[in-house]
Amino acid sequence: MLQELAIKNFAIIDELSLSFEKGLTVLTGETGAGKSIIIDAVHLLVGGRGSSEFVRHGEGKAEIEGLFLLDQEQHPCVERAREFGIEIEEGMIILRREISKSGKSVCRINGKLVTISTLREIGGTLIDIHSQHETQELLNETFHLPLLDQYGQQEISTSLVNYEEIYKQYETALSRLKRFNENDQQLAHRLDLIQFQYQEIQKANLQLNEDEELLEEKRKLVNFERLFESLNTSYQSLQGEQRGLDWIGLLMSQLETAAEVDKDMEPILESVQNSYYMLEDAAHSIRDHLDNLEFNPERLNQIESRLNEINQLKRKYGTTIEDILEYSSKIEEEIETIQHRDHHIEELQKELDILQKDLYLEAKQLSDLRQKWAKTLTENIHSELKQLYMDKTIFEVRFHSTSDQYIDEASPIPFRKDGLDNVEFYISTNPGEPLKPLTKVASGGELSRIMLALKTIFSKHQGVTSIIFDEVDTGVSGRVAQAIAEKIYQVSIHSQVLCISHLPQVASMADTHFFIMKETSQGRTRTKVKTLNKEEKIKEIGRMISGVEMTDLTKQHAQELIELAHSIKQGKKSLKG
């Protein structure tokens, strides 16, 4: 849910901070007070198109910041954020956007700079804004199939996963077959190239870690004089008259005499004896190493030549000898594949035929499940529309499937990642009129009710944190207005809802009621927001009923509306429970 919203220097808002609660929040006020400006700010916060015109006159930039709380670990926002390297801790995400006078936007998510497209993609999982003048997800036919899959996910999701697994295998096999069917001349050129590369690597007879061993040997040869001098001096320091071992031998002899008299000297004697023999062994090893030392200029040249050969291969085939040998194995397999191309094509075609049959069966099962759930969805939407006094309206989930195109292996089906179904919502609002795509519905009042019916059903499945209705109740009154108010509240049971409304019926259903007003101070107009208490709410609903003048009858009517709303809300909450 949207927990906090801060707006600064945006249109006629100088500085505004709002805290939101769960459930239904209604924003009311006089026309021009700034209700829609607040929604415009939220729209920009989640990636809407910005303009320097939004910056308050005389200021350098507009700033908008929102804190969202995620009530589920698997919220779609979390996965999207991970894809962009954005960390979400303790289920909190902060969106921030600044728009300068020049029109430049700076966007941040949890403090990390992001592009507007990234802000829009992540923001789209948090808020869904619906107004009479804005095309929404439900009006976009590309979202109709995913919405249907979400609606019937308890059965459809398993079938879709099974289909997707086979589809990946099918796509891989298809890609390999496509490579096999490339131009013969291109394959011939490719074969010549990789055969030359393979022979060059094989001729080098590389050994793992060979370059490291050669570098170590080279280092010894290059530093031969230093090594010889150091070892010789070390040996002379230990061996010979008046050298280290002679003095330690004398020490050992004297300690033996002392130990005969004082038993406490025996541990010291033993330690000195061990050290003597260890140093004696070290002296012998140094002498053997000196005897084997030989400066060989020819060997140094051989090492230089071999290292140069290895480095040439590294520049072509990999950064290490292991990489080069792995590449050699890879192209060896490719050579074998190309040389026996016809056999591999035959085997791959057999594999594809099996996969295509399996994929077709999975796609058919998936399509059958979708059509089953489409019928249930249609029944539910008709029920919702009936409650909104649109009982003559006909809704239909229309399938444009390619699943019936399969004849045999020679007539492959254009499989897609999500199956074979193209789904679009169709509707007819008047008896005798043909069904048309949902996007072609023109009447504002009808569209509002249709959208509410769809939102009532899909809000349970979409996972959107907040839904905003911006004057979707325009053009309706009476019993339809009451029905719309109840539907908006019903949506708020599953998602936080922010609603700008001119209908007293909607305002009476509010869990939180914000009154938007504007005031003039020091020659500047500012938008202010007040959270209404019970008495203030009655007064505002009365104003919405009668206009400016407030009478006792109007006040009584407002109280009755609120009492009716309370009764309806309690009933819906008990049904939810």
Side-chain angles (χ1 to χ4, degrees), residues 11-195:
I12 61 172
I13 298 174
D14 58 348
E15 193 163 358
L16 189 63
S17 181
L18 295 173
S19 296
F20 296 94
E21 302 293 336
K22 291 182 177 180
L24 173 59
T25 297
V26 173
L27 292 77
T28 67
E30 297 286 357
T31 301
K35 301 184 295 297
S36 291
I37 292 174
I38 295 173
I39 303 305
D40 288 340
V42 176
H43 187 230
L44 285 172
L45 184 63
V46 294
R49 182 172 296 178
S51 167
S52 59
E53 294 178 2
F54 286 114
V55 180
R56 184 171 169 81
H57 178 69
E59 302 294 340
K61 64 179 179 180
E63 302 172 41
I64 311 162
E65 190 169 55
L67 167 64
F68 294 84
L69 302 182
L70 307 179
D71 57 0
Q72 49 179 315
E73 292 181 5
Q74 301 304 318
H75 192 282
C77 172
V78 177
E79 185 178 348
R80 296 281 178 87
R82 283 201 198 103
E83 292 173 4
F84 293 105
I86 299 167
E87 293 187 7
I88 296 179
E89 296 180 356
E90 299 180 358
M92 295 191 296
I93 182 166
I94 298 174
L95 307 187
R96 180 178 175 84
R97 186 167 181 184
E98 300 173 3
I99 301 174
S100 67
K101 285 178 66 176
S102 63
K104 182 180 178 182
S105 281
V106 177
C107 310
R108 287 183 174 86
I109 300 178
N110 280 1
K112 181 175 180 177
L113 281 169
V114 296
T115 63
I116 291 179
S117 62
T118 301
L119 183 70
R120 186 181 301 118
E121 188 167 344
I122 291 179
T125 66
L126 296 170
I127 284 187
D128 181 21
I129 301 175
H130 173 56
S131 67
Q132 283 192 313
H133 308 292
E134 186 173 12
T135 301
Q136 293 296 298
E137 183 176 296
L138 289 174
L139 290 179
N140 187 339
E141 64 181 77
T142 60
F143 288 100
H144 292 176
L145 180 61
L147 284 170
L148 176 61
D149 287 348
Q150 287 175 8
Y151 179 72
Q153 61 183 337
Q154 63 193 78
E155 283 189 326
I156 293 175
S157 58
T158 302
S159 181
L160 184 57
V161 167
N162 293 338
Y163 174 86
E164 287 173 341
E165 287 177 357
I166 299 177
Y167 179 79
K168 287 177 184 176
Q169 300 173 38
Y170 175 79
E171 200 174 35
T172 301
L174 205 60
S175 178
R176 289 175 59 200
L177 183 61
K178 184 179 179 181
R179 288 198 300 272
F180 277 128
N181 288 327
E182 287 176 346
N183 184 283
D184 288 344
Q185 189 176 13
Q186 289 178 339
L187 281 176
H189 289 163
R190 174 66 180 168
L191 182 60
D192 288 344
L193 172 64
I194 58 178
Q195 281 180 328

Side-chain angles (χ1 to χ4, degrees), residues 307-510:
L307 284 172
N308 183 59
E309 181 183 9
I310 292 172
N311 287 331
Q312 290 283 359
L313 292 173
K314 283 182 179 180
R315 280 193 284 271
K316 293 180 180 179
Y317 308 119
T319 56
T320 66
I321 288 179
E322 185 177 5
D323 290 341
I324 296 170
L325 294 176
E326 284 181 5
Y327 180 74
S328 175
S329 298
K330 181 181 175 182
I331 59 175
E332 181 183 17
E333 183 179 339
E334 188 177 353
I335 289 168
E336 191 277 335
T337 300
I338 294 175
Q339 287 177 336
H340 300 87
R341 175 187 169 198
D342 292 341
H343 171 72
H344 285 289
I345 287 176
E346 184 180 345
E347 291 298 312
L348 198 53
Q349 189 61 61
K350 289 178 182 177
E351 181 185 350
L352 268 172
D353 291 343
I354 294 171
L355 283 171
Q356 181 164 288
K357 290 176 181 177
D358 291 344
L359 199 56
Y360 173 74
L361 291 174
E362 289 293 341
K364 198 76 173 70
Q365 182 180 0
L366 180 59
S367 185
D368 290 343
L369 284 173
R370 282 170 171 163
Q371 294 197 41
K372 169 190 168 183
W373 280 98
K375 291 177 181 177
T376 306
L377 174 62
T378 300
E379 291 171 2
N380 285 352
I381 288 177
H382 281 151
S383 176
E384 295 291 337
L385 290 173
K386 185 177 181 180
Q387 294 173 40
L388 288 166
Y389 302 101
M390 293 184 71
D391 49 323
K392 302 297 183 183
T393 298
I394 300 174
F395 176 87
E396 180 182 300
V397 180
R398 188 164 290 185
F399 283 76
H400 308 286
S401 178
T402 55
S403 60
D404 55 350
Q405 295 178 7
Y406 182 71
I407 302 173
D408 53 34
E409 294 87 345
S411 306
I413 301 172
F415 292 106
R416 298 194 317 269
K417 185 179 180 180
D418 56 4
L420 294 171
D421 299 311
N422 292 313
V423 167
E424 188 174 4
F425 297 158
Y426 274 66
I427 200 160
S428 171
T429 56
N430 296 303
E433 291 295 318
L435 286 160
K436 294 180 181 178
L438 186 61
T439 53
K440 302 292 176 65
V441 176
S443 167
E446 288 177 337
L447 181 58
S448 297
R449 283 181 279 170
I450 293 165
M451 294 303 296
L452 276 174
L454 294 170
K455 288 287 186 187
T456 303
I457 294 170
F458 288 125
S459 63
K460 303 174 187 177
H461 306 279
Q462 286 178 293
V464 177
T465 302
S466 304
I467 298 173
I468 295 177
F469 293 113
D470 185 4
E471 299 187 1
V472 297
D473 49 23
T474 301
V476 297
S477 59
R479 62 178 189 172
V480 174
Q482 182 60 42
I484 284 180
E486 293 179 26
K487 284 298 165 200
I488 290 176
Y489 178 77
Q490 191 172 339
V491 173
S492 75
I493 293 174
H494 303 284
S495 300
Q496 179 193 44
V497 172
L498 312 180
C499 180
I500 292 178
S501 178
H502 293 288
L503 290 178
Q505 292 91 338
V506 174
S508 66
M509 298 292 290

Side-chain angles (χ1 to χ4, degrees), residues 204-268:
N205 193 27
L206 296 173
Q207 305 297 320
L208 285 174
N209 303 320
E210 179 185 358
D211 51 346
E212 295 174 8
E213 294 170 2
L214 288 172
L215 284 170
E216 179 63 21
E217 188 178 353
K218 175 185 174 182
R219 191 167 65 85
K220 292 177 183 178
L221 287 171
V222 169
N223 296 282
F224 177 81
E225 290 184 6
R226 284 177 58 200
L227 178 63
F228 180 84
E229 184 179 344
S230 297
L231 290 176
N232 189 53
T233 302
S234 300
Y235 181 73
Q236 292 301 323
S237 298
L238 289 172
Q239 289 286 29
E241 295 181 5
Q242 301 299 310
R243 301 294 182 180
L245 283 174
D246 282 349
W247 287 106
I248 296 173
L250 178 61
L251 169 64
M252 187 167 57
S253 175
Q254 294 301 318
L255 282 173
E256 286 173 351
T257 301
E260 291 175 358
V261 178
D262 186 354
K263 297 296 182 182
D264 290 340
M265 290 295 102
E266 288 182 353
I268 298 174

